[in-house]
Every structure is written in C-alpha cells, then in structure tokens.
Amino acid sequence: GQQLNQSPQSMFIQEGEDVSMNCTSSSIFNTWLWYKQDPGEGPVLLIALYKAGELTSNGRLTAQFGITRKDSFLNISASIPSDVGIYFCAGQLIRGGTSYGKLTFGQGTILTVHP
Amino acid sequence: SAVISQKPSRDICQRGTSLTIQCQVDSQVTMMFWYRQQPGQSLTLIATANQGSEATYESGFVIDKFPISRPNLTFSTLTVSNMSPEDSSIYLCSLERGETQYFGPGTRLLVL
C-alpha cells in the first residue's frame, strides 16, 4: 500500500528559528494536507494543497505541493513556543471526480521550541 | 472548518467489554470516517461511513470488531467490541468538506 515518509521525526529548536519538514510518497496524491496535533486534541488542519506546484501560506506557515505530486514540505518561520506539537502530513486520492476520502498519514514530526 | 464533537472524551474499560463512541457534526455531510491512533503513532483509517450504506472497512479492520452506525447525515457511532489492552488508542472521527478532512477531538480509550 501507499506509504508516506515524513522527516524529521523530531526537532528541537530555539524560539525564533525557522523550521522545515517534508513528506515523500511512493505514489501520487491529488491533495496534500498538513495537520498539527496538540496533546489531548485531535489534528487541526493547517494548510491544504490541491495542485502540483502549489505554494500556499497561512501566517508564518508555508507549504508546497511537489511538482511530481509525490512530495510536500511545510515551513514554519520565526517559531514561537505555541508551535510545539506534532505535525502530520497526509495525502489524499481523488477518483472519478469525487474524493475517495481516505487519508494516508505520515509518521509525524514532533516539534519542541525552547524559549 | 467544521465543528465535531465526540463522546466520551476518554474512558477506562475492562477487557472483554465493549464501548460505543459517538460523533456529532455541525452540519450534514455525506462522508464520515473513523481513525485509530495508537500510542505514539500516526493515524490509521478504520472505516468510511456513508449514510444509507454499510461502512467500508480498511484492511485489518472488521465489522464484528468495529461495528459502525450512520443513522443520519450528522451522526455516527463506532463500537469497539470485546476489548483487549491492544485496543488502547485514541479513536477519532472526521468528516470531509471541500476535499478536506476535519477531525474531532478524539476519544482516549484505555483497556485494562
């Protein structure tokens, strides 16, 4: 089946530093999604990408949908303590004009920000 | 975005018992999903629940163990049957809106 490789597995950074994480897939996806999960919470959608090559920003977050449709990256600029959490990438297929729905998740990147 | 609630938020259960988790969403949706997140792991899809049809289960998950109901377009339940400690996980429901999925807060289950 499809697998997503997300890296790095964890990051320890100082407040104010920029962060970059990425996901690669053995298969093509039609949609890439990036989520953040805080302890005790469900994943919260950060950015959704729908087209190959698409570059989208949401505040200090920037994500890109790779040209090959097999990869995506997420950048966080000027990190702050509340950025702490687990970040997941997820890929989704679209079939026959409608969403198949199933998300395949990466393993997650645990981000720790030191004040 | 979407407003999704789950009940219970957490529970501790004895092995051999069953627990039914409820998921309520803020507006009508066709597709709802149930995921499992084992401790320290990523999310794995259990099944897709469309209103008016049987749930579609992913490889490794069966209806006898995880029966799902979808009585209307805003509600679904997942039952974890005959529980064992290996079922200790976070169970999350999600909905699809605009080719994007939104997740509920999860139900934290500990089986002793």
Side-chain angles (χ1 to χ4, degrees), chain A:
Chain A
Q2 295 170 333
Q3 292 196 358
L4 288 185
N5 293 313
Q6 184 172 349
S7 64
Q9 287 187 321
S10 61
M11 301 183 73
F12 298 83
I13 62 172
Q14 291 293 128
E15 182 177 0
E17 290 183 353
D18 297 343
V19 173
S20 183
M21 58 193 80
N22 69 83
C23 276
T24 59
S25 169
S26 57
S27 302
I28 289 173
F29 287 110
N30 298 100
T31 300
W32 281 93
L33 306 168
W34 284 92
Y35 292 88
K36 182 191 177 197
Q37 187 175 28
D38 292 328
E41 303 290 331
V44 173
L45 181 69
L46 298 175
I47 292 181
L49 302 160
Y50 302 109
K51 294 181 181 179
E54 179 181 357
L55 183 70
T56 298
S57 293
N58 178 9
R60 293 178 297 106
L61 278 60
T62 302
Q64 184 158 29
F65 192 147
I67 288 292
T68 65
R69 293 163 63 192
K70 293 184 177 181
D71 62 300
S72 177
F73 72 76
L74 174 71
N75 288 340
I76 305 173
S77 63
S79 59
I80 58 178
S82 62
D83 291 333
V84 166
I86 305 176
Y87 291 79
F88 290 102
C89 64
Q92 185 176 39
L93 282 176
I94 307 292
R95 294 179 185 172
T98 60
S99 173
Y100 176 58
K102 174 180 177 179
L103 289 182
T104 301
F105 278 82
Q107 303 96 323
T109 296
I110 301 171
L111 179 63
T112 303
V113 180
H114 294 287

Side-chain angles (χ1 to χ4, degrees), chain A residues 31 33 35 37-45 48 50 86 88-89 92 94 97 99-108, chain B residues 10 31 33 35 37 40-45 48 56 58-59 90 92 94 96-106 108:
Chain A
T31 300
L33 306 168
Y35 292 88
Q37 187 175 28
D38 292 328
E41 303 290 331
V44 173
L45 181 69
Y50 302 109
I86 305 176
F88 290 102
C89 64
Q92 185 176 39
I94 307 292
S99 173
Y100 176 58
K102 174 180 177 179
L103 289 182
T104 301
F105 278 82
Q107 303 96 323
Chain B
R10 61 180 66 242
M31 299 181 79
F33 308 88
Y35 287 80
Q37 186 176 25
Q41 302 296 313
S42 187
L43 286 77
T44 301
L45 181 65
T48 301
T56 302
E58 296 298 308
S59 175
I90 302 172
L92 301 117
S94 74
E96 185 176 68
R97 184 169 290 163
E99 295 182 0
T100 300
Q101 282 194 27
Y102 299 92
F103 286 83
R108 280 142 194 83

Side-chain angles (χ1 to χ4, degrees), chain B residues 2-108:
Chain B
V3 178
I4 307 170
S5 61
Q6 286 185 233
K7 290 182 180 179
S9 59
R10 61 180 66 242
D11 207 342
I12 301 173
C13 301
Q14 296 296 320
R15 68 173 65 212
T17 64
S18 297
L19 176 71
T20 295
I21 302 167
Q22 300 178 5
C23 180
Q24 179 77 50
V25 303
D26 58 338
S27 61
Q28 295 181 346
V29 292
T30 302
M31 299 181 79
M32 293 179 70
F33 308 88
W34 286 97
Y35 287 80
R36 181 176 72 183
Q37 186 176 25
Q38 294 176 300
Q41 302 296 313
S42 187
L43 286 77
T44 301
L45 181 65
I46 297 172
T48 301
N50 290 343
Q51 195 271 335
S53 63
E54 294 287 328
T56 302
Y57 289 82
E58 296 298 308
S59 175
F61 298 97
V62 296
I63 187 171
D64 290 345
K65 176 67 176 178
F66 297 101
I68 288 171
S69 78
R70 184 79 202 275
N72 58 54
L73 290 172
T74 62
F75 187 78
S76 179
T77 67
L78 170 76
T79 299
V80 186
S81 303
N82 188 25
M83 288 183 286
S84 67
E86 291 72 34
D87 294 320
S88 298
S89 293
I90 302 172
Y91 293 87
L92 301 117
C93 68
S94 74
L95 63 83
E96 185 176 68
R97 184 169 290 163
E99 295 182 0
T100 300
Q101 282 194 27
Y102 299 92
F103 286 83
T107 295
R108 280 142 194 83

